[in-house]
Amino acid sequence: MSFNPPDGSPHRVEPVPKSANLVIVANRLPVDRVEQEDGTVAWRRSPGGLVSALEPVMRSNNGTWIGWPGGTDSDLEPFEEGGMNLVPMSLSAQEIEEFYEGFSNGTLWPIYHDVVAKPEFHREWWDSYVTVNQRFAERAAEVAGKGATVWVHDYQLQLVPQMLRELRPDLRIGFYLHIPFPPNELFQQLPWRRQILEGLLGADLVGFQLAGGAQNFVRLVRQRVGHKTHRDLVYLPDGRTVRAAAFPISIDAAGFEELARSEGVGKRATAIREALGNPRKIFLGIDRLDYTKGIHARLRAFSELIVDEHFDVEEAVFVQVATPSRERVEQYRILRDEIDRLVGRVNGDLGRIGRPAISYLHSSYPREEMAALYRAADIMVVTPYRDGMNLVAKEYVACRFEDDGALVLSEFAGAANELRQAWLVNPYDINGMKSALLEAFEADERETSKRMKAMRKTVLANDVVAWANSFLEGLSHERPSHGKQVRPATRS
Ligand code: G6P
């Protein structure tokens, strides 16, 4: 989705519906407000998988989406786009620093991702997190109709369920965490651990990517908050129960496949291969430029295979797309410099004229270009140190409609739970990664095709529509007597 209203302002259509039956509350709106070079404003689809995940269910329910459009503009009017009512929330420059870059991405993000980077704890960041969560909850309380379903998303908004329940006890509230939920030992470092658990307990259903996350949560609630629990249920003193369960997220698998099959994408894939000098094998990595993604170690593993003379730059190239992300956060800046340096060194040492070992692109691309890259690549390399799911792995599989192509996948990505036929690797083990990359490079057609067929079956059968419907159905069972049913999402 991409649009650019003539006057540069969002086209306001209807006033915000005060009676939405389905309200999505997420840190990001599905579109970003971007200032163009000529000073005009355009709207672009936001980064991250959440948007594509929720679009179908929003369309089916004419839902309302509350979120931040990026930037510091204040008080943008609600507007409508593609069957969704969008309600922009503004963040001040200080809130961006303290709530978004600070508590969300400097405290929670590293703690929830195995402390791959060191989390920072600052009381003013926490205060800002509380303030912003409260404002999101108040807005949701305003737009939700009686007995409506409100679905709150991700680590930036973990206090919203409880705050919203206090304002609107009639609502059916779901919460879904898109990133991993950490083991007790790490979660307990958080000075505000109890408030966060209580915030989440405002929901009727708390969803996680994996069963392990749900179990961690229930155990922590029992130990830290002292509520009774039994299996996946938490019993609250007021008689309410909260269920914690796994709902592994997915992608619009048929949509990706259709795109990959299109003539335009096919031609573009051929052009990409040609531009790279038609090497025997193309390795591909596509990630947000994030320290959890293991980009550095994977590029080292690849380059060592060239040094060890398993193949040379005429035979193989690594295309690494790194989408700019959280660029003002120091750890992200450091990471960018490290990768710039590594790519420069590897290409300087190993490349030849017109033949870099690594073709590195620090940029984000539209879906069509991603699909063309997936089609062009023989070996997809997804090696995060920790990842809630990793939708890129599933997108690659969805695009390989000829049952070819190899996937090298980290054991520590949620996707590894489902994509068992990938070449699974421990991303901390560089020699292990080298072996897996080499095996994938040398694997014969029968082997890759057998593996890809099995993975495609999994991905096509469990798409994002099935994910959204199963969460919403689960939520309606948790709170059966309240409000209208949400209509299931339909495949477009
Ligand atoms: C992850 C998170 C999302 C987030 C996205 C992009 O996928 O789970 O909540 O929106 O990254 O990150 P950003 O900080 O740009 O929103």
Side-chain angles (χ1 to χ4, degrees), residues 28 47-48 100 105 109 154-156 178-179 288 325-326:
R28 292 266 186 192
Y100 170 69
N105 291 311
W109 182 265
D154 231 354
Y155 61 103
Q156 304 93 342
H178 291 252
I179 66 173
R288 263 185 325 98
S325 182
R326 307 173 193 165

Side-chain angles (χ1 to χ4, degrees), residues 159-448:
L159 307 179
V160 169
Q162 186 195 34
M163 290 168 165
L164 183 57
R165 182 160 303 284
E166 266 161 30
L167 295 165
R168 292 285 306 271
D170 60 301
L171 298 176
R172 181 186 276 148
I173 303 173
F175 180 90
Y176 187 77
L177 185 70
H178 291 252
I179 66 173
F181 190 79
N184 300 9
E185 294 74 14
L186 298 181
F187 189 83
Q188 283 175 26
Q189 289 182 13
L190 267 173
W192 307 278
R193 57 200 179 189
R194 190 187 167 106
Q195 289 95 313
I196 288 177
L197 294 172
E198 283 174 345
L200 292 170
L201 288 171
D204 300 297
L205 175 62
V206 185
F208 298 87
Q209 299 281 15
L210 303 180
Q215 285 153 10
N216 289 348
F217 172 71
V218 171
R219 193 175 325 126
L220 269 159
V221 165
R222 191 171 57 242
Q223 289 171 354
R224 289 276 148 214
V225 193
H227 292 323
K228 266 209 183 132
T229 67
H230 178 63
R231 293 175 182 232
D232 58 353
L233 286 179
V234 178
Y235 300 93
L236 301 186
D238 65 3
R240 233 167 31 87
T241 56
V242 179
R243 191 158 79 90
F247 297 88
I249 201 169
S250 192
I251 56 159
D252 172 14
F256 264 100
E257 170 161 352
E258 199 188 316
L259 196 58
R261 281 179 185 273
S262 71
E263 206 189 315
V265 164
K267 281 193 178 144
R268 177 69 192 136
T270 309
I272 290 172
R273 287 197 78 102
E274 264 166 27
L276 292 165
N278 279 321
R280 221 176 99 204
K281 299 272 163 149
I282 296 175
F283 292 77
L284 174 66
I286 301 185
D287 310 81
R288 263 185 325 98
L289 187 46
D290 194 294
Y291 50 78
T292 58
K293 302 289 186 184
I295 301 171
H296 196 274
R298 131 189 2 151
L299 294 179
R300 267 188 63 197
F302 172 77
S303 65
E304 284 187 20
L305 288 172
I306 301 178
V307 174
D308 300 347
E309 298 183 351
H310 289 290
F311 44 71
D312 68 16
V313 291
E314 310 282 334
E315 286 178 296
V317 64
F318 201 117
V319 178
Q320 176 65 55
V321 174
T323 309
S325 182
R326 307 173 193 165
E327 288 178 285
R328 295 187 344 159
V329 177
E330 205 198 343
Q331 274 153 335
Y332 288 75
R333 282 199 199 145
I334 296 172
L335 175 74
R336 183 172 180 195
D337 288 346
E338 278 172 4
I339 295 191
D340 283 354
R341 259 203 311 277
L342 177 70
V343 171
R345 201 173 62 226
V346 168
N347 285 340
D349 287 349
L350 305 175
R352 293 187 206 142
I353 287 179
R355 293 286 194 159
I358 301 169
S359 180
Y360 176 57
L361 304 153
H362 180 246
S363 184
S364 64
Y365 293 101
R367 249 162 78 106
E368 289 74 16
E369 184 71 357
M370 303 272 273
L373 284 163
Y374 292 139
R375 266 201 74 172
D378 303 287
I379 301 151
M380 184 80 214
V381 191
V382 181
T383 55
Y385 294 123
R386 180 59 71 191
D387 209 332
M389 175 55 64
N390 197 293
L391 297 179
V392 161
K394 291 189 171 179
E395 288 171 4
Y396 179 69
V397 169
C399 287
R400 303 305 299 193
F401 57 88
E402 287 174 318
D403 293 334
D404 57 357
L407 174 65
V408 176
L409 178 62
S410 162
E411 291 165 22
F412 307 133
N417 243 35
E418 294 168 80
L419 305 178
R420 305 302 304 166
Q421 298 79 9
W423 273 268
L424 293 174
V425 294
N426 170 358
Y428 293 95
D429 171 10
I430 302 229
N431 282 345
M433 273 203 288
K434 284 171 72 177
S435 305
L437 292 178
L438 195 57
E439 265 184 43
F441 179 83
E442 286 171 346
D444 63 27
E445 239 173 70
R446 268 188 50 211
E447 176 69 18
T448 44

Side-chain angles (χ1 to χ4, degrees), residues 70-87:
T72 49
D73 302 283
S74 54
D75 301 329
L76 292 169
E77 292 293 316
F79 59 108
E80 200 240 289
E81 170 58 29
M84 298 188 270
N85 302 302
L86 304 184
V87 179

Side-chain angles (χ1 to χ4, degrees), residues 149-160:
T149 295
V150 180
W151 190 357
V152 183
H153 288 265
D154 231 354
Y155 61 103
Q156 304 93 342
L157 299 174
Q158 293 173 99
L159 307 179
V160 169

